[in-house]
Amino acid sequence: MDRDESAPYLGTRLARRHFLRAAAGGASGLLLPLSAFGAADQVHDLRGRVTINNRPATRKSDILPGDRIVTGSDGHFVFVMGEDAIMVRSRSELVIEKYDDTSGFLRLVTGALGAVFGRGRPRRIVAANVTAGIRGTGVYLETRGDGTYFCTCWGSANLASADDPKDREVVTSTRHSPRLVATKPQDGSRFRPAPFETHTDEEMDILQKCVGRRSPILVPGGDELTGRK
């Protein structure tokens, strides 16, 4: 059954149970070792149907600039690129337009994406009707029929409407500052306050663990760790 494109992204609640079980130790105070999430391989979680450039993804897949990642209705994919970790939810399509030590460019064609980024490297995300400039930040976003849901979980994001680049907002957050970037302006702006929904502190912390850091929401200063060993 097709989901309501204007509704919050709920398609992976069941699939997320496995993902959240891995976080349960940290949430209860029994912290899992960083080495459990910091393997050299790029792929950290692969469930259901996931393709890279129309070929089935595997645990040993390489993810490179220019790749197109598509997840099916049961798909869930977590991978790392350098000091960044990225989660692609079900029914999503992500294109890695560019990625190197100096800059990165991700394009979320449809669906939902969570990502954490190392400090000092500028990254850009384009999704539907918004462009985000970020560095050293944790974000969660999803495309909807009424626009793009974009949560700056921590750090700073420079958001600009794709329909009007002059319509922009710089969001600085220490604990989840979500926005809906609407398709139509209201009172001169497309940016609306939005509720915190469809992602969790534990999920974002697991992404940080993939690259040897911790969520600063759960562990103060955790984003200042040096990354994978």
Side-chain angles (χ1 to χ4, degrees):
M1 182 174 65
D2 293 337
R3 69 184 178 95
D4 179 357
E5 292 294 337
S6 66
Y9 195 86
L10 303 175
T12 53
R13 284 199 182 278
L14 293 178
R16 285 165 56 197
R17 289 178 181 173
H18 172 78
F19 197 59
L20 290 174
R21 273 201 297 269
S28 64
L30 302 174
L31 299 181
L32 297 175
L34 293 180
S35 59
F37 298 89
D41 293 338
Q42 283 186 277
V43 178
H44 284 247
D45 195 359
L46 169 62
R47 283 173 275 140
R49 177 175 171 76
V50 179
T51 63
I52 302 174
N53 302 327
N54 296 318
R55 296 182 178 181
T58 72
R59 294 279 180 175
K60 297 298 183 181
S61 289
D62 292 326
I63 300 98
L64 302 171
D67 284 349
R68 180 181 300 269
I69 298 167
V70 178
T71 57
S73 60
D74 61 345
H76 185 86
F77 195 49
V78 176
F79 64 96
V80 299
M81 299 280 286
E83 295 302 317
D84 306 335
I86 299 163
M87 170 182 68
V88 186
R89 287 264 174 89
S90 65
R91 298 192 301 275
S92 299
E93 181 176 345
L94 173 70
V95 179
I96 304 170
E97 300 283 5
K98 177 184 178 181
Y99 236 85
D100 57 36
D101 286 340
T102 60
S103 63
F105 176 21
L106 301 174
R107 180 161 57 90
L108 181 64
V109 180
T110 190
L113 169 75
V116 297
F117 300 95
R119 292 191 172 194
R121 297 176 177 88
R123 304 303 191 202
R124 184 161 62 103
I125 300 177
V126 171
N129 63 332
V130 65
T131 297
I134 51 185
R135 68 172 74 198
T137 305
V139 300
Y140 176 83
L141 57 150
E142 58 188 49
T143 61
R144 301 179 179 179
D146 57 348
T148 301
Y149 176 88
F150 195 106
C151 181
T152 306
C153 303
W154 63 81
S156 180
N158 189 339
L159 307 179
S161 167
D163 300 312
D164 180 4
K166 294 181 180 179
D167 187 7
R168 59 176 59 241
E169 181 177 356
V170 176
V171 180
T172 300
S173 175
T174 57
R175 183 164 190 165
H176 302 294
S177 297
R179 300 288 188 272
L180 176 67
V181 187
T183 55
K184 297 180 179 180
Q186 180 178 333
D187 298 327
S189 177
R190 294 169 176 80
F191 293 92
R192 316 269 196 277
F196 168 58
E197 58 188 4
T198 65
H199 64 297
T200 68
D201 287 333
E202 290 76 18
E203 285 177 307
M204 300 305 294
D205 189 42
I206 287 180
L207 291 180
Q208 284 281 75
K209 288 177 179 179
C210 289
V211 285
R213 300 187 299 266
R214 298 298 307 273
S215 162
I217 296 173
L218 298 182
V219 180
D223 59 330
E224 298 176 359
L225 298 176
T226 57
R228 290 180 291 170
K229 304 295 185 184

